[in-house]
Amino acid sequence: MNPTSLLRRRSFLGLAGAAAGAAFLQACHRDGAAASGKGKALEWWHIQNTDPMLSVWAQLAKGFEAAHAGVKINITPLENEAFKAKLTTVTQAGNPPDLFHSWGGGVLQQQVNAGLVKEFTGEAQAFLSNVSSNGVKLYQVDGKQCGVPYELGMVGFWYNKELFAKAGVSALPKTWSDLLGVVRQIKAAKIVPIALAGGDKWPAHFYWSYLAIRQGGVAGMAEAAKTGAFDGADFVTAGAKLQELVELEPFQPGFLGAKYMASDGQSAIMGNGQAAMELMGQWAPTIEAAYSTDKKGIGDKLGFFPFPALEGGKGSPSEVLGGCNGFAIGKNAPPEAFEFVKHLLSAESQRKVAAEGGVLPVTKGAEDAIKDPNLKLVHQALASATGFQLYLDQAYPPAIGQQVNDSVAALVARSETPEAVARAIAKTAKNQ
Amino acid sequence: MTTQVTTPVAATAHGPAAKQIPSPRSRRGASARRQLAILPFLLPALLLFGGLVLVPILLAIYTSLFKWNGFGGLPTNFVGLDNFVRLLGDEVFTGDLSRGLVLVLLSVLVQLPVALGLALLLNQQLRFRGLYRLIFFAPYVLSEVITGVLFTMVLSPNGGLVNKILAVFGVSGQTWLADPGRALLTLFFVVSWKYFGFHMILLLAGRQDIPPELDEAGMMDGASSWEIFRHITLPLLGPTIRISVFLSIIGAIQLFDMVWVLTGGGPIHSSETMAVTMFQYGFRRYEVGYASAISVAMFLISMVFALLYQRYVLRRDIEGAVTKAGAMP
């Protein structure tokens, strides 16, 4: 090897190294420039990772950027479960995103206790007088406003009118025994009565939660939440009633492993017209369409009826199980975050999300934009609700919420008795 | 085995180009200097290992003595060994242990013989032998998550490939991952599908290390092919088989990705492993102290197994690594 070729190779390697180093340094520097204040960047994590809301949020963000020069909004849309996992790691590391999705309740409380969210005070709080008070209350922790809703909704039965007619069901069920009768009728017509995502667990806990508030009333739930006494007679009865339903085998084959948002999951089965009904929140029509094979869902054939009354229960049939979708602002967020939230909650933006995204708005004056007749029904039921209970897996601290999900999943799989379910939840609640 | 170096001073004293044989004292100095010279090269790896492996292990052991939800710096609610007592009484965790044991037994009793059989088969002169080896090894190249997603589709009760094929034979309505009685076996099948190629290649390499003269000698002595396998091939494949079993068992103890994507541990914990339980408690229930206790348990199980296995099973294979015999001076 002669010296000149060695030298050439060395200088070539040296150049390559210098180039790589320069590129690396430049990349670091570019990140630094964005954070240094030349342009404010806002990190926004939301869970609408499918259209139409995916595009609607993006458009609203662009509108805000156009009106406020120098602010850049970086959107990270995540699927529901992936969002929960990802948010957990960043919040436990103490580094929450600037604006992120929140359901309020026990999880928000834990985040507030750890000092991870900013409070809405003064002007930002005054703005909230325009927003539905039921929703606003869900985001208050110890009297402090720690988040805002953008949607207030409830859980009810979404059913396929065509399949109901095919099975000969003439009247919508008004009581729990009516419902069991309808299920038997549909099953006799060789149609899958209920679509359930047993694998995700939270769709199943809706049944138990509703039976619990029908049996014990929303007030009874609040009592139990305070003392941790989830093994009371009312809760055992709720489990027993659910067991009656499960024993009719009303769910689709493979329901124990089915997911909610998957191409062969609960919403896909509903959207493809393969099941007669599902108990789901107000987002059901949109998600059914998103996961159906023709991306349109069942269209006009979709109907809604509220959860029936329970004979002998202390609760009233106008009490609803529901929740909010909303936002919380992370502790590192710039003040522009509050401005952005105001923008997202303005009557105009809310009309847009109601009309295009099938969202039930919370800002007063935006209700006229709801086009879907089913959603109008839901909105009416909400407006006339006498009691409101947040989904149990969000209302309570995460450990209890997860235990409710797990125990009800075991009940649905017929591997535990209603008493054992109630005891397991009470045990976790008392351990907190 | 150390050899005594005698210093033939008399022989070299008059030689013009004689090298100075170093005296014992400076030889020790040279060895120490050599070790000092190695240190800077080891330092980055030691730092990474210390910072990313040792420190988290110590932190996890510390955290497991507390009741903590993961927020805010360091835990404050000391509960001593409560988490471990709860662990031993938790039927999900004891179920994890038994499910782990089932997976280990299935790996050793099913996956290993299949891999061994294929390795021996593909060692013979076949047409397209290279192609077969490629095809069988290919699943190992896929990531675990991709394999999991792929098989959720293949095993889907509604329109999955497996059910479509079975429908041709008249068998319908099978749920693979949704049946509590079958989920664990289905999980094992998917894990085996991914890893059997790797073990096959490992055993193939081990097989090729056996000199063909031994087979020929056996044949000349009139041994049948089963006897050759039983008395020549199998014993000489011993080290490779022992390594293969070791890797399988360690893999089964910490199995997470595949379980999480395929079933999430369900239905009703029937396919859950310790790692999945740890994730659920740490990141879903925000009970980080308890999850740390689970991780400490996993660590102890893996470490005890690895040490015992190396000491007793692999003793002959790695003589010198953990024993003094055969070591360099």
Side-chain angles (χ1 to χ4, degrees), chain A residues 64-99:
Chain A
F64 184 78
E65 283 175 355
H68 293 75
V71 178
K72 174 98 180 62
I73 303 182
N74 296 327
I75 309 183
T76 307
L78 291 160
E79 186 269 327
N80 199 331
E81 296 299 307
F83 168 78
K84 287 181 193 164
K86 205 165 167 179
L87 189 70
T88 310
T89 35
V90 296
T91 47
Q92 282 181 345
N95 198 12
D98 297 324
L99 184 66

Side-chain angles (χ1 to χ4, degrees), chain B residues 223-261:
Chain B
S224 69
S225 47
W226 166 252
E227 281 170 340
I228 292 181
F229 172 71
R230 167 87 177 73
H231 296 285
I232 300 176
T233 318
L234 204 54
L236 288 173
L237 270 181
T240 316
I241 292 181
R242 287 190 276 274
I243 293 281
S244 177
V245 168
F246 182 72
L247 292 175
S248 282
I249 296 182
I250 293 287
I253 293 179
Q254 13 149 299
L255 187 62
F256 176 79
D257 308 34
M258 205 73 86
V259 182
W260 190 253
V261 175

Side-chain angles (χ1 to χ4, degrees), chain A residues 41-43 87 89-100 108 110-120 145-147 327-338, chain B residues 70-73:
Chain A
L42 227 132
E43 287 295 323
L87 189 70
T89 35
V90 296
T91 47
Q92 282 181 345
N95 198 12
D98 297 324
L99 184 66
F100 58 94
L108 181 65
Q110 280 207 342
Q111 291 164 342
V112 169
N113 289 344
L116 293 163
V117 295
K118 277 202 174 156
E119 202 188 316
F120 282 72
Q145 191 67 38
C146 297
F327 303 115
I329 294 188
K331 65 173 185 182
N332 296 329
E336 281 78 1
F338 289 95
Chain B
F71 291 116

